[in-house]
Amino acid sequence: MQLAISSDLDFQSETYKDAYSRINAIVIEGEQEAYENYQKLAELLPPEAEQLLGLSKMENRHKKGFQACGKNLSVTPDMDFAQVFFADLHRNFQEAAAENRIVTCLLIQSLIIECFAISAYNIYIPVADDFARKITEGVVKDEYMHLNFGEEWLKANFEASKEELEAANRQNLPIVWRMLNEVEQDAKVLGMEKEALVEDFMISYGEALSNIGFTTRDIMRMSAYGLTAA
Ligand code: PL3
Ligand code: FE2
Ligand code: FE2
């Protein structure tokens, strides 16, 4: 079944390369932001600094891997586009960090961005070219560890974090739906359906909220924010 999907794709066509110039840039920018965000989190959480700096280093490797994927297809990533794409989450993370709102920083980076990455990479793997597939398979394994870091910390501090998590979710989840809408057309050219991305994201994010300690009722309510606008 996967063979049927990938054989429809011409990785050298101008249409594919044009869409790839934006998707590849988004992923490179996302990995760069993640690299910086874990460094900032290491400053904010001194007891976890060593582990967080380890995660940060992995993000830098991911970035280099995806840069190689673009080069392999002779695609130049449109980094200006990607910076605008990430601007809202970037700003919200910076503002939270400046005010020492660690819970918000963790929700943005370790839950939202990692779940976004996990869903995107899982949907991309079956339709990727051989070179990019191998790279992405290696990366996605790391992203589960990053998500797990956020889950464990927030679970251990659940009662004290609950209110801030709800507010951060309300502020940032609508941005994810907006980002998914913006990437829909280009993702489709790469063989990735928006419905599959949304489904995979909802599953990862819902599971994360459940692992942290939220009830099914909480999760339903929290997941709905911003969905109506999507
Ligand atoms: C955190 O470790 C990484 C953050 C990256 C965020 C990526 C979001 C990707 C959304 C675009 C959907 C297409 C993905 C294609 C994969 C190469
Ligand atoms: Fe990453
Ligand atoms: Fe990550």
Side-chain angles (χ1 to χ4, degrees), residues 158-177:
F158 183 59
E159 284 311 320
S161 307
K162 207 173 171 198
E163 217 174 302
E164 191 180 330
L165 278 172
E166 296 243 12
N169 173 76
R170 196 178 198 126
Q171 179 194 34
N172 292 287
L173 200 57
I175 298 172
V176 174
W177 305 131

Side-chain angles (χ1 to χ4, degrees), residues 95-121:
E95 286 179 4
E99 292 168 11
N100 224 6
R101 282 185 277 124
I102 295 168
V103 170
T104 301
C105 290
L106 279 174
L107 178 124
I108 293 174
Q109 176 56 48
S110 295
L111 302 189
I112 286 191
I113 296 183
E114 300 296 356
C115 285
F116 196 21
I118 286 169
S119 62
Y121 298 165

Side-chain angles (χ1 to χ4, degrees), residues 92-185:
N92 289 348
F93 184 96
Q94 298 301 319
E95 286 179 4
E99 292 168 11
N100 224 6
R101 282 185 277 124
I102 295 168
V103 170
T104 301
C105 290
L106 279 174
L107 178 124
I108 293 174
Q109 176 56 48
S110 295
L111 302 189
I112 286 191
I113 296 183
E114 300 296 356
C115 285
F116 196 21
I118 286 169
S119 62
Y121 298 165
N122 277 331
I123 305 295
Y124 177 59
I125 285 169
V127 294
D129 64 83
D130 288 342
F131 181 86
R133 182 183 315 118
K134 285 193 193 82
I135 302 243
T136 311
E137 280 169 348
V139 168
V140 78
K141 288 196 191 97
D142 291 346
E143 309 301 11
Y144 283 106
M145 291 173 51
H146 302 174
L147 171 60
N148 188 257
F149 175 88
E151 286 176 356
E152 291 298 322
W153 195 93
L154 292 166
K155 183 179 171 179
N157 299 277
F158 183 59
E159 284 311 320
S161 307
K162 207 173 171 198
E163 217 174 302
E164 191 180 330
L165 278 172
E166 296 243 12
N169 173 76
R170 196 178 198 126
Q171 179 194 34
N172 292 287
L173 200 57
I175 298 172
V176 174
W177 305 131
R178 200 257 302 143
M179 290 164 89
L180 274 165
N181 283 333
E182 279 180 25
V183 86
E184 178 177 7
Q185 292 307 322

